[in-house]
Amino acid sequence: MGQPTLYELSQITVGPHSFKSNKPKAARRFKPARQLLTDETKYLQSKNLKFDTPTYTSLVSPPTLKPIKKYCDITGLEGKYKCPSNGIRFHDVEVYQEVVKNMTTSLDQEYLSLRGANVVLK
């Protein structure tokens, strides 16, 4: 016989590799959160364990680690500052100079009552 053809050479070098599996890959199955919760509930019920049924509204979480946001009593923007004399929170110097500084005692108590921070002295 003569020299092998290019096709025959390619058949020799291209073949199944020993490190690859010839088995077909199983398709991954992704489950939505509702199905995961249902499966977990069924599993726990099969083990006769007492538990609260997990739902979207009853999942318990720990308290947040972020600090509570404080808002300006006048503008509703983020209240970065607090007046030392009356306790009113304000957004910036302009709000302080125009409104908070000139506020009467009864008016500042009304603003504080809206926030639930008013102090009633007897």
Side-chain angles (χ1 to χ4, degrees), residues 31-75:
K31 294 182 179 181
R34 177 191 278 165
Q35 190 172 3
L36 290 173
L37 289 172
T38 304
D39 291 346
E40 185 178 351
T41 304
K42 287 179 184 176
Y43 172 76
L44 292 173
Q45 287 174 346
S46 69
K47 299 293 182 181
N48 293 326
L49 299 173
K50 293 182 180 181
F51 64 96
D52 292 331
T53 305
T55 62
Y56 288 112
T57 58
S58 71
L59 290 177
V60 180
S61 64
T64 181
L65 298 175
K66 290 183 177 181
I68 297 173
K69 285 194 172 187
K70 298 174 181 173
Y71 296 99
C72 174
D73 293 323
I74 310 299
T75 62

Side-chain angles (χ1 to χ4, degrees), residues 74 86 88 96 98-109 111:
I74 310 299
N86 55 17
I88 297 283
Y96 178 74
E98 296 295 324
V99 181
V100 178
K101 193 174 180 182
N102 303 325
M103 200 176 278
T104 63
T105 306
S106 61
L107 186 60
D108 65 1
Q109 287 300 317
Y111 273 107

Side-chain angles (χ1 to χ4, degrees), residues 110-122:
E110 288 181 28
Y111 273 107
L112 290 172
S113 67
L114 291 174
R115 184 168 31 121
N118 60 331
V119 178
V120 178
L121 299 175
K122 292 182 180 183

Side-chain angles (χ1 to χ4, degrees), residues 78-103:
E78 185 179 357
K80 300 176 185 175
Y81 311 103
K82 186 176 180 180
C83 180
S85 61
N86 55 17
I88 297 283
R89 290 192 187 121
F90 56 94
H91 178 66
D92 58 2
V93 177
E94 184 180 344
V95 173
Y96 178 74
Q97 289 175 347
E98 296 295 324
V99 181
V100 178
K101 193 174 180 182
N102 303 325
M103 200 176 278

